[in-house]
Amino acid sequence: MSRRRLPLGIWIRLVVLSVGCFAVLMPVVWMVLTSLKSAGQVFVTPPIWVFSPQWHNYAEVFELVPFQRYILNTATIVGLVVLGTLLSCSFSAYGFARLKAPGRNAIFMVLMATLMLPTTVTLVPTYIVFNHLGWLNTFKPLILPAYFGTAFFIFLFRQFFLGIPRELEEAARIDGAGYLRIWWAIFLPLSWPVIATVTVFTFIAAYNDFFGPVIYLSDESKYTIAVALSYFSGSPRIGPQIHLTMAATTIAALPSILVFLLAQRYFIRGIAVSGVNK
Amino acid sequence: MTQQRVVVRPVADRPSVSRSPRPRLTMTRRQALWCYVFIAPAVLGLLLFSLGPMIASLGLSFTSYDMLTSPIWTGTENYGALFADPIFRKSLGVTLIYGVVSVPATLVIALVLAILLNAKLPGLKFFRSAYYLPSVISGVAVAMVWKWMFNGEYGLVNAALAKVGLQGPAWLTDEQWALRALIFMSLWGFGGTMLIYLAGLQGVPKELYEAARVDGASTFRQHLHVTVPMLSTVTLFNLVMGIINSLQVFAEPFVLTQGGPNNSTLLLSVYLYQNAFEYLKMGYASAIAWVAFAIILVLTLLVFRSTPMWVHTATEDDR
């Protein structure tokens, strides 16, 4: 596209969008810049923009707090949550999309209605039950619910399954395949776009979750990245060292940003569906 | 057990492939059984993690329970105490201000950006990603960044204000400004709403703009009279979701201010957390949850009731 041919309206849009973009990305830039400053440079007013980057700040974060531990904890929880969500949601969605049974549609409606249910309403009793089971300070309360389906993702899988031609499974049934085989060997391999969308969404949600980990995990060795980060500014080890706090924040923000940048189209598709189809 | 409840379906409407009716009946019955097997995880999840806890928390809200001794039935005492509780009333007010300012402001910003981004532009993909980027960052990380942004002495916000000759407040430690800072920060997460609007814009027929242009409408008026009404169902969705979310925001106020100073940023979810997990007042916390839930239900109902006035449902002649 040659520059000359751009109409004035487009130029105005570009200028407005660039200014807005600058403002929106500023906090991220500021975070990264601060994370590379030395302890002294952080407290210079007005803020300095040119300095030699102190990359060792990042290494220092790993030395001061057991960040590897937090990464491992988070990876365990997020991995198992993603797996459980994919299995349980696609499994249930197959029943909702393809198999007829009395009461099925009513159950589906109730399930969809729970999308409006704020998590705070179910929080206290769930906590009490997990406490009775002796599961506090374990990952179980954070992982287990993922194996019982999530309304929105069941909805996404069901929508996709409804569009798969019936001839495919009829052929398989003639060959003697049962419903389990059909779900596993025909429907799942066909639905990779939904699998990708659900994976990305679940990853971001589980990775960013704070309320769950903060009430269930009390032992520092069990912390997720989000919980550990929230205690940083007051912690005796990092305390008021803003440059280190910002380095830790940058590390914490990186996985969600990377996943978003790598899997943008699935992400955008999922959001688009959520807004338009309801 | 399920077998006895399965309704025998009429087979008359099925194509009459020559088979005796018996295996066909067992076929439908078998299918129903398998259906229940497949939807079992979702049904169990519904009972164990949604409906069950929901009813349990309603029950708990009529008790006094500290998790150490058995719950004591206290009737509506918690609810009476709530409305006499000055901190709860303050928290309710704070949440209301937060929602009333943050939700509509987010909608406006998201819509304007969606309109700007809904055109063939150089760098379009970059702009869309850049504007959405902050929305994927976790609440805790966002709060950490903004805590530093809002730092009264060394923060970027006040440095920028100083550039134009203004003396910025201490934001998060100033009772007057903390909630405003929180609301301002919440606007950073407009990305999701913007993408939903962008998706909605794809469905607005181009001819409507043509027609408006022929009638001599300016770009602004075209959007006001075409885009806004055509996207009203999307706005409805975003509005309802925004209301629900604003009553659930937790990580940001918790990390940023812990509800302070002087409870000026004590959103309902933070007060609920304090009661449940700091004071172990499980019954009282459940009552807070149910009041919040009731507010969501009433507001959602009001929004839906008001829809005939502002939501334009697509009809045949829009096409």
Side-chain angles (χ1 to χ4, degrees):
Chain A
M1 206 184 296
S2 93
R3 280 182 167 204
R4 294 247 174 86
R5 277 194 282 142
L6 285 180
L8 182 69
I10 298 286
W11 273 113
I12 295 173
R13 268 180 203 234
L14 278 178
V15 171
V16 173
L17 283 172
S18 305
V19 172
C21 203
F22 179 76
V24 163
L25 291 184
M26 204 58 223
V28 178
V29 174
W30 174 244
M31 165 183 83
V32 176
L33 283 180
T34 308
S35 78
L36 294 171
K37 287 181 180 177
S38 70
Q41 288 165 335
V42 168
F43 301 110
V44 175
T45 45
I48 50 169
W49 298 89
V50 184
F51 51 90
S52 59
Q54 312 287 309
W55 297 103
H56 61 83
N57 287 350
Y58 285 84
E60 219 168 302
V61 169
F62 280 84
E63 282 160 26
L64 284 170
V65 290
F67 221 85
Q68 301 90 314
R69 183 83 236 168
Y70 306 146
I71 293 174
L72 191 70
N73 291 343
T74 311
T76 310
I77 295 172
V78 171
L80 290 173
V81 165
V82 168
L83 181 72
T85 306
L86 287 175
L87 287 176
S88 64
C89 292
S90 67
F91 192 77
S92 289
Y94 179 72
F96 283 120
R98 276 300 202 261
L99 302 175
K100 287 204 178 75
R104 182 196 69 174
N105 291 343
I107 294 172
F108 188 71
M109 294 297 279
V110 175
L111 191 65
M112 288 303 113
T114 60
L115 280 171
M116 306 264 294
L117 188 70
T119 46
T120 41
V121 174
T122 56
L123 187 81
V124 170
T126 319
Y127 179 84
I128 292 170
V129 170
F130 283 133
N131 177 44
H132 272 290
L133 292 172
W135 287 2
L136 292 196
N137 212 16
T138 72
F139 296 159
K140 287 177 208 160
L142 304 171
I143 294 169
L144 193 84
Y147 288 77
F148 292 91
T150 308
F152 178 55
F153 298 135
I154 293 176
F155 169 80
L156 280 188
F157 269 110
R158 178 178 168 272
Q159 288 298 101
F160 190 83
F161 287 171
L162 287 174
I164 293 178
R166 279 188 181 274
E167 292 81 50
L168 276 174
E169 56 195 304
E170 270 157 25
R173 281 198 68 69
I174 289 165
D175 291 344
Y179 294 119
L180 280 173
R181 273 273 300 281
I182 293 176
W183 164 69
W184 180 258
I186 298 179
F187 276 65
L188 272 187
L190 281 175
S191 42
W192 59 268
V194 197
I195 293 178
T197 305
V198 173
T199 302
V200 173
F201 262 88
T202 313
F203 177 91
I204 301 273
Y207 182 83
N208 290 353
D209 186 24
F210 177 64
F211 212 144
V214 87
I215 63 173
Y216 288 118
L217 309 174
S218 45
D219 203 14
E220 205 195 347
S221 67
K222 297 268 168 56
Y223 282 177
T224 62
I225 296 173
V227 176
L229 188 64
S230 78
Y231 291 129
F232 265 19
S233 49
S235 90
R237 275 178 285 184
I238 289 206
Q241 306 188 73
I242 304 275
H243 58 303
L244 298 184
T245 309
M246 284 302 114
T249 308
T250 308
I251 302 170
L254 211 57
S256 11
I257 293 178
L258 280 182
V259 165
F260 165 64
L261 292 179
L262 291 175
Q264 265 184 65
R265 47 194 187 114
Y266 301 114
F267 212 79
I268 288 164
R269 185 184 327 200
I271 294 171
V273 170
S274 78
V276 175
N277 278 2
K278 247 179 282 166
Chain B
M1 174 196 119
T2 335
Q3 256 171 337
Q4 283 150 3
R5 272 199 275 124
V6 172
V7 182
V8 179
R9 293 257 174 133
V11 286
D13 54 333
R14 294 291 188 86
S16 53
V17 191
S18 59
R19 259 196 201 173
S20 69
R22 255 193 91 88
R24 216 176 282 143
L25 287 183
T26 39
M27 278 273 282
T28 34
R29 190 181 277 185
R30 249 174 64 86
Q31 194 184 66
L33 271 176
W34 274 107
C35 181
Y36 293 130
V37 170
F38 272 98
I39 67 176
V43 173
L44 278 175
L46 191 65
L47 296 176
L48 292 176
F49 299 114
S50 294
L51 299 183
M54 183 180 134
I55 293 161
S57 85
L58 183 62
L60 271 174
S61 74
F62 296 108
T63 66
S64 165
Y65 183 44
D66 60 4
M67 304 237 314
L68 305 168
T69 52
S70 306
I72 303 158
W73 186 264
T74 54
T76 54
E77 205 175 273
N78 282 334
Y79 290 95
L82 263 185
F83 288 102
D85 176 355
I87 302 178
F88 175 74
R89 280 193 295 197
K90 179 151 190 185
S91 172
L92 208 57
V94 166
T95 312
L96 205 69
I97 295 170
Y98 178 89
V100 164
V101 181
S102 169
V103 176
T106 304
L107 289 185
V108 172
I109 296 172
L111 179 59
V112 168
L113 278 166
I115 290 171
L116 286 173
L117 288 169
N118 189 43
K120 283 209 165 56
L121 289 171
L124 186 68
K125 275 189 83 174
F126 166 79
F127 281 125
R128 285 186 181 176
S129 311
Y131 280 111
Y132 187 70
L133 190 81
S135 308
V136 298
I137 302 175
S138 77
V140 177
V142 166
M144 297 302 276
V145 173
W146 282 92
K147 197 173 188 173
W148 175 226
M149 293 279 293
F150 280 127
N151 185 300
E153 271 177 88
Y154 309 106
L156 193 60
V157 175
N158 280 356
L161 288 176
K163 266 264 190 296
V164 291
L166 291 170
Q167 161 91 53
W171 298 105
L172 299 175
T173 48
D174 183 335
E175 199 182 328
Q176 292 284 313
W177 289 92
L179 183 59
R180 295 174 205 189
L182 193 68
I183 292 171
F184 187 79
M185 185 190 78
S186 78
L187 304 181
W188 206 41
F190 64 84
T193 315
M194 178 191 78
L195 284 187
I196 294 174
Y197 270 129
L198 258 174
L201 279 170
Q202 316 296 317
V204 181
K206 297 269 183 294
E207 304 90 77
L208 292 179
Y209 295 106
E210 299 284 337
R213 207 171 303 145
V214 171
D215 290 348
S218 65
T219 315
F220 176 75
R221 289 185 67 88
Q222 282 174 38
H223 286 304
L224 195 66
H225 295 298
V226 176
T227 315
V228 173
M230 288 305 287
L231 287 183
S232 51
T233 46
V234 183
T235 301
L236 173 67
F237 172 80
N238 284 334
L239 185 63
V240 170
M241 282 326 211
I243 292 171
I244 295 178
N245 286 337
S246 68
L247 280 151
Q248 294 199 84
V249 184
F250 175 73
E252 291 87 341
F254 186 76
V255 174
L256 218 53
T257 54
Q258 299 256 310
N262 192 18
N263 299 326
S264 60
T265 56
L266 190 71
L267 293 182
L268 271 182
S269 52
V270 180
Y271 193 47
L272 187 149
Y273 173 90
Q274 289 180 348
N275 276 287
F277 305 107
E278 284 173 17
Y279 318 142
L280 293 180
K281 290 158 88 175
M282 293 297 174
Y284 201 62
S286 299
I288 297 174
W290 270 87
V291 171
F293 189 36
I295 294 172
I296 289 179
L297 287 181
V298 169
L299 286 179
T300 311
L301 203 71
L302 283 178
V303 168
F304 275 110
R305 272 286 173 89
S306 73
T307 51
M309 294 187 301
W310 61 277
V311 172
H312 174 95
T313 19
T315 50
E316 274 307 303
D317 41 277
D318 286 334
R319 304 275 141 189

